[in-house]
Amino acid sequence: MTSNSRPIRSCTALPIPSPSTDSRHRGSHARYLRMTAMRSQTGRHLHYSSECASSIQNSWSHLKNRAVIEVSGEDAISFLQGLTTNDMNHLRSQKSMLSAFLNAQGRVMHDALLVYSEPTNSIFIDVASDQKQDFLKLLKRYKLRAKVALSDHSDSLKVYAAVGPDAVLEKLAPGADKSEICLLFQDPRLRELGVRLISSEAQPFASMAGFNEISDTLYRISLGVAQGPKELPQGSCLPLEGNIELFGGVSFNKGCYVGQELTARSHFRGQIRKRLIPFVITDSSEGDSSDTIGTGKTDVLETAIKFDKEALKSGESVEVEGKGVT
């Protein structure tokens, strides 16, 4: 494994990806996700709390729990095509995409954002930092004679996210060209997640007027987006349970890949027994529904919780440790 094999000479602002042509899977299981006080975003049939999404101000986060791995070489696309849930043949045109790496039993081992870099003709993978070594071992296990090179840029490249009304490529790209290594792209999962930046520059958004530093965890969870091994337990969570296909991270039209059989069968048979959903905890004992996560009166929920699909379909009330869930 090499490190920092070649720098990107200028910042690349990647265009917003066009909608995936593989749209048949969207909305097929949305009936399991309908809950009071949640709404649907156009084009993505996942229901989430609208309060955080509508009130978020211009903010940025340094995602210290993310690592950056580069896959380069003439076989990079075909090599990853057999390992990941998304169709790598669309990466050059979409520029960025969500995807997952599964084990042979179809369980999620790693979720990742993949970004194509034209200057280096290579793929940068944004993956959980505490899974970095396992992820590299997985890639090396299947590398064999493929003409690819794996580079760990975690020491030199950092991952940042910006959200809010002004967190759009057209406004941020002109000010993001100070760094030698820089990839600015629209988060491919949801437009509300703003833009993501892979850069060697320390805190590139800190000097931008009107942007404040925050932790993105609660905001991201409020949108129903799971990420990393804490929310997608390694080796036990199916990609459809984690809503990865609802965010365009699974292609049901591509060929075989590791874990494809169970993923396709679960989708086409509709056998999805549980899903991750966003929710708000209220203090039902006092009858005050305004006591919600983020107000300081209740504990901040660290991760999404799984609910049985029958409870969601029937619309019955759910309580967690005596707290009503809405």
Side-chain angles (χ1 to χ4, degrees):
M1 180 179 67
T2 60
S3 178
N4 303 335
S5 55
R6 54 181 182 275
I8 304 173
R9 295 299 177 185
S10 61
C11 177
T12 304
L14 305 178
I16 298 174
S18 58
S20 171
T21 56
D22 182 19
S23 60
R24 290 184 298 169
H25 64 286
R26 293 179 184 164
S28 58
H29 307 296
R31 62 185 181 274
Y32 301 143
L33 301 173
R34 294 191 176 95
M35 295 186 70
T36 305
M38 294 184 180
R39 66 177 176 84
S40 173
Q41 182 223 7
T42 302
R44 302 286 198 191
H45 298 285
L46 179 70
H47 294 238
Y48 57 83
S49 172
S50 61
E51 183 175 351
C52 282
S54 62
S55 62
I56 191 70
Q57 302 299 314
N58 290 330
S59 309
W60 67 275
S61 301
H62 178 191
L63 307 180
K64 299 178 181 179
N65 58 349
R66 308 299 290 178
V68 180
I69 305 297
E70 180 187 13
V71 180
S72 58
E74 60 183 272
D75 293 340
I77 294 290
S78 59
F79 168 64
L80 292 173
Q81 178 75 342
L83 296 179
T84 186
T85 58
N86 218 330
D87 192 343
M88 295 298 300
N89 292 319
H90 297 313
L91 182 58
R92 283 192 175 94
S93 58
Q94 293 183 202
K95 302 305 180 184
S96 63
M97 61 172 53
L98 169 66
S99 196
F101 295 79
L102 314 180
N103 60 18
Q105 291 72 41
R107 268 62 180 181
V108 176
M109 299 301 292
H110 308 277
D111 65 292
L113 295 181
L114 281 61
V115 189
Y116 175 69
S117 169
E118 278 192 45
T120 59
N121 191 30
S122 61
I123 300 163
F124 286 81
I125 303 178
D126 172 351
V127 69
S129 58
D130 53 358
Q131 290 184 313
K132 181 185 68 174
Q133 295 303 326
D134 287 342
F135 182 64
L136 285 169
K137 287 180 182 178
L138 181 147
L139 296 181
K140 291 177 181 178
R141 185 185 311 140
Y142 291 99
K143 181 176 178 292
L144 301 177
R145 296 183 180 180
K147 297 178 181 179
V148 298
L150 307 177
S151 305
D152 181 5
H153 292 282
S154 301
D155 291 337
S156 59
L157 291 180
K158 309 302 177 184
V159 181
Y160 301 90
V163 298
D166 295 328
V168 293
L169 293 179
E170 293 78 8
K171 294 184 179 182
L172 295 181
D177 57 1
K178 302 175 183 178
S179 174
E180 185 181 30
I181 300 179
C182 178
L183 282 171
L184 182 68
F185 59 98
Q186 174 75 40
D187 194 304
R189 296 170 293 183
L190 277 179
R191 188 175 296 273
E192 282 85 352
L193 287 172
V195 299
R196 222 166 168 93
L197 174 67
I198 296 176
S199 174
S200 61
E201 184 179 354
Q203 300 184 349
F205 293 122
S207 59
M208 298 189 64
F211 277 78
N212 300 312
E213 184 176 9
I214 63 167
S215 170
D216 81 320
T217 302
L218 181 59
Y219 175 66
R220 175 176 51 78
I221 289 177
S222 76
L223 298 176
V225 182
Q227 175 180 281
K230 188 173 184 179
E231 299 161 19
L232 300 170
Q234 189 176 37
S236 62
C237 178
L238 299 176
L240 275 61
E241 292 176 351
N243 301 321
I244 293 177
E245 94 283 15
L246 296 180
F247 296 117
V250 180
S251 171
F252 295 102
N253 294 328
K254 64 176 287 187
C256 296
Y257 57 87
V258 177
Q260 183 253 2
E261 182 179 358
L262 179 61
T263 303
R265 185 168 67 245
S266 298
H267 168 72
F268 290 113
R269 292 184 179 180
Q271 296 176 338
I272 306 172
R273 296 189 176 95
K274 54 191 175 183
R275 279 191 183 271
L276 294 175
I277 59 171
F279 64 92
V280 174
I281 298 177
T282 61
D283 190 349
S284 58
S285 62
E286 298 180 3
D288 183 5
S289 61
S290 63
D291 185 10
T292 60
I293 293 176
T295 63
K297 298 180 181 179
T298 60
D299 294 333
V300 174
L301 187 67
E302 294 287 341
T303 186
I305 294 181
K306 298 175 181 179
F307 284 98
D308 183 83
K309 68 174 184 180
E310 295 302 327
L312 293 179
K313 289 174 66 177
S314 64
E316 65 186 75
S317 61
V318 181
E319 290 190 355
V320 179
E321 296 183 352
K323 302 285 187 178
V325 176
T326 60

